[in-house]
Every structure is written in C-alpha cells, then in structure tokens.
Amino acid sequence: MNTLIRQIKGAISEKIPAVEVDVETAELASLSFTHPAHRATVLVIAERGDNRQPLATLAIFILIDDWFDVQKDPAAVTKLLQLNTALMSCAIGVLQLGDEEMATTLCRRLPASEVDPTTVLDLIEGMVWEYANAAGFMEAAEVAEA
C-alpha cells in the first residue's frame, strides 16, 4: 500500500508541493494535504483488504466542516445528508479524526487495483465540484459574478 501512496504523492506533488505521508505500513498507508484552492483538508488512505472488506481499496476523504458545528443545527444536518441523493461519485459522511474530533466529509472508496495515481487529484477535484454543484455553491457563484 505504501508504494501506491508514494506514487500518488509524486503525482499530486507536481501541483501541490506540501503533501505529507502520514502512515506507512504494509497494510495501511495514507497521505494528507490542504487543497490550496478549496482550503479543505484531503486524506487519501490505501488499505490492504481484510475479512470485512477483502479487496485492497483507496479511500479519499475531503473534510468540509466540523461535525459538531453542523450538528448544532438540525436543518443543516438534514440539508447536508439530503445531498447524498444528489451525489453520484461520492457521498457525505462523518469521519472520526480523534477521540473528540469529527468532521463532515466527502467520501469515495475505489478498488486500489483500478486507481491510476496520476488521476487521483482529478478525482478529488471532481468530488469537490460535484458537492459544490449539488449544494448550490456553483449557482451562487455564477449569480455573484453576474
């Protein structure tokens, strides 16, 4: 898994120099960076398969909000989770980051064998675009420009 993460890091580093490899073992490897345009934290995790999930996978997580802030407003939670019916290539979930830290996150999981390291940044960009479009941010930006 660490070979795949190193290849992805090499491909992403051409456009985003501050990519940090966080975990590196035979079973699990990950990298993270802050996207310079979106200011979102991105985690890419490669995992060897196990009994629960036999295929090796690549998971992409884009942290979009602190879950505890969103959780304070039931209407915001409902609106956010309703976006899952509009999103086709990714989903919105809650990711546990630490003992007391949780983030609302765009999520996508792919078979590791089918991932081209040079396309991972494009996958990330596509996830952000799809979320922004489904959430109405693209439309709001177009109205603001006019």
Side-chain angles (χ1 to χ4, degrees):
M1 296 293 91
N2 55 17
T3 301
L4 177 59
I5 286 295
R6 293 236 170 250
Q7 291 171 339
I8 293 168
K9 179 185 180 196
I12 290 174
S13 293
E14 292 178 14
K15 294 185 180 176
I16 301 172
V19 177
E20 184 177 319
V21 174
D22 300 312
V23 177
E24 209 173 344
T25 68
E27 292 79 29
L28 177 72
S30 68
L31 62 82
S32 64
F33 62 92
T34 300
H35 195 288
H38 312 299
R39 308 306 311 156
T41 299
V42 178
L43 304 172
V44 180
I45 302 171
E47 294 179 282
R48 182 169 296 196
D50 59 20
N51 291 337
R52 178 184 52 86
Q53 195 164 334
L55 289 178
T57 60
L58 184 79
I60 301 170
F61 301 102
I62 303 169
L63 284 56
I64 55 176
D65 275 316
D66 181 279
W67 170 243
F68 293 110
D69 290 343
V70 174
Q71 192 177 18
K72 293 175 187 175
D73 182 359
V77 173
T78 300
K79 181 179 178 185
L80 194 64
L81 296 180
Q82 284 175 339
L83 286 175
N84 278 322
T85 60
L87 299 174
M88 298 302 289
S89 70
C90 60
I92 295 175
V94 178
L95 181 65
Q96 184 84 37
L97 297 173
D99 291 341
E100 295 185 22
E101 188 177 7
M102 296 171 71
T104 308
T105 309
L106 295 177
C107 312
R108 182 168 186 179
R109 187 176 293 276
L110 305 159
S113 61
E114 295 180 17
V115 174
D116 176 352
T118 62
T119 64
V120 171
L121 191 55
D122 292 335
L123 293 172
I124 292 165
E125 297 290 354
M127 290 169 64
V128 171
W129 176 86
E130 185 178 17
Y131 167 70
N133 188 49
F137 298 133
M138 302 296 286
E139 184 179 312
E142 288 174 4
V143 170
E145 284 180 9

